[in-house]
Amino acid sequence: MIRLNKYLAENTSLSRRDADKAVADGRITVNGVPAEGPWVQVDSSSVVTLDGKRVGLEDYFYWAFYKPVQILTAYGDGHGKDTLEVFPMLAEKKPAYSGRLDYESEGLIIFSNDGDFIRKLQKSEEKIQKEYIVSVSRQLSQEQIDILKKGITYEGIDYLPCIVTKQDEKRYRVILHEGKKRQIRNMFRHFHIQVRRLKRVRVGRINLDGMKPGEMRVLTQKDLEGMI
């Protein structure tokens, strides 16, 4: 733990005296609350902002990863199935993730050591879009598409309204604001339709951006704009 003015001096262009003035002028928040004074104690887990922009992002990492099919979104014993630990960087750090994909699904997963960011991605009330390309065994009727758009209940689980757009005869673009277990597979199963391929291509403003299965890229400040 260190004093707020020292933390600001070490992580911004402000001197300690400038940091004291910034606090007095109400330009600094700590964990969403205006800082009481430059003596406040903070550490790398504290969310400190200067003029609305987060300070100390270098303490955090934000990764986009393209999960291949037949990989469990988990660490540890996969009971004979490969897990995220087949990828050395994930095996070493075991970072938290948002956007679990089932074994046969592929696509974008976000990893970070910023717990607040991960929790934000997981909350449906944040209305962060998750976009998927879904290939299925047979096409939906227009009536079925309209039903999905309004939200359904399947086996006692409520699924919120979503966006469903037909791409071709057996392929759809689906955009959700939530991410319940096996949600898209269950939505199509409601109409006795089997999902043949499921690929997440976007979370918020972050997309696969030409990535190949098994690839990872470091997210930029532009990628994260409006999401942290």
Side-chain angles (χ1 to χ4, degrees):
M1 300 287 286
I2 63 173
R3 284 172 60 101
L4 176 59
N5 58 357
K6 182 179 179 182
Y7 181 84
L8 290 167
E10 291 178 353
N11 290 280
T12 72
S13 60
L14 298 177
S15 66
R16 286 206 193 186
R17 179 174 295 180
D18 289 338
D20 291 349
K21 186 175 187 306
V23 172
D25 290 344
R27 297 169 59 198
I28 310 297
T29 67
V30 178
N31 297 326
V33 179
E36 295 180 6
W39 60 84
V40 170
Q41 296 289 305
V42 298
D43 59 23
S44 60
S45 67
S46 303
V47 179
V48 179
T49 68
L50 167 62
D51 296 331
K53 295 184 178 181
R54 190 162 179 177
V55 175
L57 277 180
E58 62 272 14
D59 295 327
Y60 296 94
F61 58 80
Y62 303 86
W63 300 337
F65 176 67
Y66 187 153
K67 186 193 91 70
V69 296
Q70 298 187 342
I71 295 288
L72 284 178
T73 309
Y75 301 113
D77 185 5
H79 301 286
K81 295 180 178 179
D82 286 335
T83 71
L84 296 172
E85 292 186 72
V86 303
F87 303 96
M89 189 177 292
L90 297 178
E92 177 186 355
K93 291 184 176 288
K94 295 182 176 60
Y97 51 82
S98 179
R100 181 189 295 270
L101 289 167
D102 64 42
Y103 186 66
E104 294 294 343
S105 297
E106 63 185 299
L108 181 62
I109 297 180
I110 308 299
F111 289 86
S112 179
N113 61 343
D114 181 345
D116 289 336
F117 174 64
I118 292 296
R119 285 188 288 274
K120 181 177 181 179
L121 293 181
Q122 294 171 339
K123 292 180 178 178
S124 60
E125 56 265 32
E126 295 288 345
K127 298 189 181 303
I128 295 174
Q129 292 186 344
K130 287 86 173 178
E131 182 175 341
Y132 304 78
I133 301 298
V134 188
S135 298
V136 296
S137 57
R138 63 178 175 83
Q139 66 179 319
L140 293 164
S141 68
Q142 185 58 52
E143 180 183 5
Q144 290 169 333
I145 290 175
D146 292 341
I147 290 171
L148 288 180
K149 287 181 177 180
K150 294 176 182 178
I152 64 167
T153 299
Y154 177 77
E155 293 189 346
I157 300 174
D158 294 326
Y159 297 115
L160 295 176
C162 63
I163 299 170
V164 181
T165 307
K166 186 175 181 180
Q167 300 294 288
D168 57 38
E169 185 177 350
K170 296 181 181 180
R171 189 173 63 167
Y172 297 85
R173 185 178 302 273
V174 180
I175 300 176
L176 308 177
H177 290 105
E178 58 180 346
K180 293 177 179 174
K181 184 176 180 180
R182 301 183 70 82
Q183 177 167 350
I184 290 181
R185 294 184 187 275
N186 287 340
M187 287 164 54
F188 281 88
R189 192 174 288 122
H190 179 73
F191 301 111
H192 307 289
I193 296 174
Q194 181 182 359
V195 170
R196 296 282 173 78
R197 185 181 182 190
L198 178 57
K199 179 179 178 181
R200 183 191 291 129
V201 297
R202 181 173 63 87
V203 175
R205 60 185 296 131
I206 302 166
N207 57 51
L208 286 178
D209 199 24
M211 297 170 65
K212 298 177 180 178
E215 286 187 345
M216 182 181 292
R217 68 181 177 93
V218 175
L219 295 172
T220 66
Q221 194 72 37
K222 184 177 181 180
D223 290 321
L224 296 166
E225 187 176 342
M227 298 182 69
I228 58 174

